[in-house]
Amino acid sequence: LDEKKSFKYIILGGGVAAGYAAKEFTERGLKPEELAIISKEAVAPYERSELSKSYLLPDGYATRLPSFHVCVGSGWKRQLPEWYKEKGIELMLRTEIVKADLASKTLTSATGRVFRYQILIIATGCAAVKLADLGVQGANNADNIFYLREISDADKLVEAIQKKNESGKKAVVIGGGYIGFEVGAALRINGFDVSLVYKEPRLMHQLFTPAIASFYEGYYTNKGVKLFKNTVAIRFESSASNNGEVKKVRLNNGQVIEADIVVVGVGAEPQISIFKGQIKEEKDGIRTDGYFRTSVPDVYAVGDVATFPFKGETIRVEHIDHARESAKQAVIAIKAKEDDNSIAIEVRGFKISEYEYLPCFYSRSFDLSWRFCGDNVGEALPAVEDMRVTSTKPRFVTYWYSRGKVVGAFIEGGNDAENRGFEEIAKRKPRVEKDKLAQDGISFAASQ
Ligand code: FDA
């Protein structure tokens, strides 16, 4: 084996978790040539959540790399390709690993290169679920159906948006989750006639209460987005005269929508097939403990692929905050173990605490900006300043109240102090009288 292809640490995947793990390694002591990041993408790790937001806006408003390389999303320095070089980190881009042998500690690339590691961090994230896999007819091989996961997908979509701007401008967006919510808005801003199709009775149904969803649906409708709820696409129809491009989307309620462009956001699945049979899995991901150690010694899994302990259960989370924090926790655990090899995690009397996941999500679309932290269980108590769908600056909160405590909170149009207060709510779950909460309204968040 070529010595140069041996590394003390390899991070497989070059996304959000990889970038934040690299930062943590450098802060905790990393020698040149100890760490390699192997990624099939062509660019250094970046804040993936930008791809469905400002990346899709018209020229003049759109963000482009290098502006959103990690770790800008957390207010730190941007890690440009030169940063990795300076730190002696080998950043191997356009390199897909097709085989992993955890027993011999080797990874093999699509071109046959073999890499050896002592410690492996799996950070391969997810791939978009394809409509053809869900049994939708006509969804294969059409040039105008787009998925959004990597920057190369976003570039294809941007090119189509620019091309279609000169011809047809009808877009059908499938899925009422994050991607549908954000891409639907971006396409509308680009002047498309947008139809948003989702099978649930409301947008972002896992998080939004009926009242919250009703506001956003009203706002989107007011902006000209057409909503098709409680329905799914069952067939895409094209004709030979338009190069096999989809022209019509048929729904299960009998409606047919015309389309020049289709964007699909119907979920994602962890990219872990190369580890099958070699590592313990759970809930579609790789099972880890509170330090992101897997069932295989010296192999860690972080970000979207990790299934980890949470309040007596195990969960898998596809969110950017978790990708950042789990990456940090894994590197802390790796370094702690090296400092004192005899004890797994306890180092010189200092016990590293297990990962404490803090659910915190956000989204931006049109002029809207919302944030949620904590748990959405219990009674939902709204506090409204302006919830008009025509408002230029809507502002409202919903608190989730359970057994005398505020356990979760959602805010539209929050300021920095309120957004920070939200994290405190998620962490501490403050006890408060219901009357006092109602009296304080939105200001309760900022006072935390
Ligand atoms: P991530 O997907 O970032 O990185 C995985 C990396 O592994 C990629 O570089 C991939 O190419 C590489 N890889 C995979 N298999 C490989 C192989 N065999 N060989 C080599 N490389 C391989 N979250 C949120 O909280 N708020 C938000 O607003 C959004 N918005 C959003 C928009 C869009 C368009 C997407 C796709 C996702 C979001 N998310 C989000 C989710 C968030 O981006 C996601 O949770 C993190 O990116 C997860 O980080 P990871 O590092 O785990 O995977």
Side-chain angles (χ1 to χ4, degrees):
L1 194 75
D2 179 349
E3 209 29 54
K4 267 198 163 155
K5 292 176 191 164
S6 266
F7 297 93
K8 186 169 182 188
Y9 316 107
I10 289 184
I11 301 172
L12 178 56
V16 176
Y20 281 78
K23 170 181 182 288
E24 200 62 36
F25 268 120
T26 59
E27 287 178 359
R28 285 174 191 270
L30 184 72
K31 297 195 190 88
E33 291 168 40
E34 275 187 336
L35 171 64
I37 295 177
I38 304 180
S39 174
K40 64 182 162 64
E41 289 192 85
V43 298
Y46 56 90
E47 305 285 357
R48 190 166 309 283
S49 51
E50 278 307 295
L51 295 183
S52 50
K53 301 182 178 68
S54 31
Y55 201 78
L56 302 179
L57 294 183
D59 279 350
Y61 300 94
T63 44
R64 288 286 174 266
L65 287 178
S67 74
F68 60 98
H69 276 300
V70 296
C71 296
V72 285
S74 299
W76 285 307
K77 209 179 121 182
R78 258 187 322 176
Q79 292 169 192
L80 302 174
E82 302 84 89
W83 179 87
Y84 296 88
K85 212 173 263 168
E86 260 167 43
K87 301 288 178 191
I89 299 170
E90 187 135 357
L91 187 56
M92 278 178 268
L93 302 174
R94 298 186 187 85
T95 308
E96 182 175 11
I97 295 299
V98 293
K99 187 173 161 231
D101 184 341
L102 301 183
S104 67
K105 295 188 158 190
T106 55
L107 303 173
T108 308
S109 78
T111 56
R113 293 177 73 193
V114 178
F115 305 98
R116 186 184 290 278
Y117 59 82
Q118 290 173 35
I119 293 178
L120 174 66
I121 300 181
I122 302 170
T124 43
C126 282
V129 170
K130 301 285 189 307
L131 281 181
D133 299 341
L134 301 178
V136 181
Q137 294 165 13
N140 270 337
N141 305 325
D143 285 345
N144 60 340
I145 300 186
F146 298 89
Y147 293 85
L148 194 53
R149 182 73 208 184
E150 301 194 339
I151 203 156
S152 53
D153 303 322
D155 286 338
K156 282 185 214 148
L157 180 56
V158 167
E159 197 187 314
I161 290 172
Q162 287 167 354
K163 211 164 92 197
K164 293 290 178 190
N165 263 336
E166 291 145 28
S167 53
K169 293 190 70 166
K170 291 195 175 72
V172 176
V173 180
I174 314 257
Y178 274 96
I179 295 208
F181 188 78
E182 295 176 354
V183 174
L187 286 167
R188 186 73 197 116
I189 294 168
N190 276 284
F192 277 75
D193 177 353
V194 177
S195 299
L196 186 51
V197 177
Y198 45 100
K199 72 170 192 277
E200 299 83 13
R202 59 180 188 269
L203 272 176
M204 303 287 300
H205 77 290
Q206 285 176 338
L207 176 62
F208 288 2
T209 62
I212 296 174
S214 167
F215 164 77
Y216 289 102
E217 289 176 351
Y219 189 98
Y220 271 50
T221 305
N222 187 55
K223 291 278 184 195
V225 177
K226 297 186 190 93
L227 305 180
F228 295 78
K229 308 185 202 190
N230 291 310
T231 185
V232 293
I234 49 168
R235 195 159 72 231
F236 291 123
E237 295 172 359
S238 50
S239 66
S241 60
N242 48 44
N243 305 322
E245 285 201 345
V246 168
K247 285 311 271 179
K248 284 180 182 157
V249 179
R250 192 170 287 274
L251 308 181
N252 68 344
N253 63 7
Q255 284 177 293
V256 177
I257 317 174
E258 287 187 16
D260 297 304
I261 205 174
V262 178
V263 184
V264 183
V266 292
E269 55 194 352
Q271 305 200 80
I272 57 171
S273 58
I274 55 173
F275 304 106
K276 279 264 174 268
Q278 304 182 62
I279 204 160
K280 237 186 220 155
E281 290 180 29
E282 200 176 321
K283 296 187 175 156
D284 301 329
I286 296 175
R287 172 75 202 251
T288 70
D289 63 10
Y291 307 95
F292 297 98
R293 297 181 294 188
T294 69
S295 59
V296 179
D298 299 327
V299 178
Y300 294 71
V302 295
D304 283 6
V305 297
T307 301
F308 59 93
F310 180 65
K311 295 182 183 169
E313 286 182 46
T314 55
I315 56 168
R316 201 172 59 71
V317 171
E318 293 172 14
H319 280 296
I320 211 152
D321 271 3
H322 163 67
R324 294 166 179 160
E325 294 302 319
S326 58
K328 185 173 166 185
Q329 172 81 346
V331 174
I332 291 173
I334 289 167
K335 285 295 185 183
K337 192 171 173 205
E338 283 171 5
D339 281 356
D340 185 343
N341 213 8
S342 61
I343 314 164
I345 286 298
E346 201 170 285
V347 184
R348 292 183 205 105
F350 172 68
K351 179 117 169 57
I352 295 167
S353 43
E354 285 201 38
Y355 184 59
E356 266 186 63
Y357 171 58
L358 204 62
C360 258
F361 324 131
Y362 73 96
S363 181
R364 295 191 307 271
S365 59
F366 292 115
D367 292 327
L368 302 167
S369 171
W370 60 256
R371 184 170 170 80
F372 166 82
C373 287
D375 301 326
N376 55 341
V377 293
E379 194 181 350
L381 302 173
V384 173
E385 211 172 277
D386 183 352
M387 215 173 176
R388 290 169 304 147
V389 298
T390 50
S391 173
T392 51
K393 246 187 167 319
R395 230 174 102 70
F396 58 88
V397 164
T398 294
Y399 295 111
W400 277 267
Y401 191 75
S402 175
R403 295 185 193 150
K405 293 177 173 179
V406 180
V407 297
F410 177 99
I411 192 164
E412 168 58 49
N415 58 35
D416 285 351
E418 286 156 350
N419 287 339
R420 272 196 301 277
F422 266 48
E423 281 172 29
E424 284 303 311
I425 289 174
K427 253 187 238 163
R428 291 192 291 105
K429 310 232 155 91
R431 188 167 284 283
V432 61
E433 293 296 326
K434 212 162 150 182
D435 288 350
K436 164 96 173 114
L437 184 62
Q439 198 185 330
D440 286 359
I442 294 181
S443 66
F444 178 79
S447 67
Q448 293 309 300

